[in-house]
Amino acid sequence: MIQLKTIEELRLMKQSARLVSQTLGMLAKEIKPGVTTLHLDKLAYDFIKDHGAEPAFLGYGGFPASLCISPNDQVVHGIPNTEPVKEGTILSVDCGVFWNGFVGDHAYTFEVGEVSAEDKKLLKVAKESLYKGIEQCVRGKRVGDISNAIQKHCEKEGYGVVRELVGHGVGRKMHEDPQVPNYGKPGSGKVLKDGIALAIEPMINLGTEKVKFHNDGWTVTTLDNKTSAHFEHDVCIINGKPVLLSTYDYIYEALGIKSDEEKAFQLDF
């Protein structure tokens, strides 16, 4: 059952989502060749705890860390370790917090040093598809409209859209109804209503859409070992329109990037 949120609840969710955004912004300054993902995880843990919140991923289903950090061909759920990150890596960092009774869940794929033109384009298209999906998060539309917008944008560029892993509702729990696939038919799925809150998260592969699940119970890689990109925003519907709860502004400020991509989805509430 979909749990629609009140404006008061969405305000609390926005605070949780923004703390995740601030965490990713803090990490953006630290992500460089030679850093270990375990070090990044410790930084995130300390930052979240210092703000009076709890890392939502730590212990969730037995997950051993505060961040899911997935380099190159890892799609999602990578476990932080002591191996230094190499120049040219693309690094998905997925973070969650539990604060004010609500979960914030947010991800960005970073470039580590200079990455290939091929990977730059993958990241660009994958992030564009996230906003294509968010555009469809409108009262009266359906989940399939979000899914199809993401799929169409990525597949026209020849990229694989992961099937086995999906976005989801978010709120007092990490995963709520409905599931939000990154592929599907327009006009299908649950109807979108005011008060819905979703974690929309395209997982887009340079090659095949097929993935491999590893024996550690978490790590997921592309079947052909080509790179994968992952972006995620928390979004809700207010007055019939999509409104971002999370933001990449802290990342962009840290990296010196200018962007107005979120302008259409911002609302002071």
Side-chain angles (χ1 to χ4, degrees), residues 118-208:
E118 188 176 49
D119 282 343
K120 278 183 179 290
K121 183 180 177 184
L122 171 65
L123 297 182
K124 177 178 180 292
V125 172
K127 183 151 66 70
E128 287 173 349
S129 79
L130 171 60
Y131 292 105
K132 294 290 185 183
I134 292 170
E135 286 174 359
Q136 299 301 311
C137 199
V138 173
R139 182 177 60 215
K141 291 208 171 198
R142 292 178 178 268
V143 169
D145 296 312
I146 300 172
S147 307
N148 184 258
I150 293 169
Q151 180 182 11
K152 281 177 60 179
H153 188 71
C154 295
E155 288 188 346
K156 75 180 182 182
E157 298 292 342
Y159 298 136
V161 179
V162 174
R163 264 60 172 173
E164 292 91 342
L165 301 152
V166 299
H168 50 89
V170 65
R172 293 189 181 276
K173 297 180 180 179
M174 177 91 68
H175 296 102
E176 297 185 354
D177 289 334
Q179 290 192 344
V180 186
N182 297 306
Y183 68 99
K185 296 180 180 179
S188 65
K190 299 288 187 179
V191 176
L192 303 175
K193 300 178 181 180
D194 279 6
I196 198 168
L198 304 173
I200 300 175
E201 51 178 323
M203 289 157 274
I204 309 302
N205 300 342
L206 186 64
T208 180

Side-chain angles (χ1 to χ4, degrees), residues 158-162 205-211 222-226:
Y159 298 136
V161 179
V162 174
N205 300 342
L206 186 64
T208 180
E209 76 277 6
K210 297 184 183 301
V211 299
T222 59
L223 192 62
D224 57 9
N225 300 124
K226 293 185 178 180

Side-chain angles (χ1 to χ4, degrees), residues 42-58:
K42 179 63 164 58
L43 291 175
Y45 176 85
D46 290 344
F47 188 86
I48 293 166
K49 295 288 283 187
D50 286 348
H51 283 78
E54 294 296 325
F57 294 176
L58 183 61

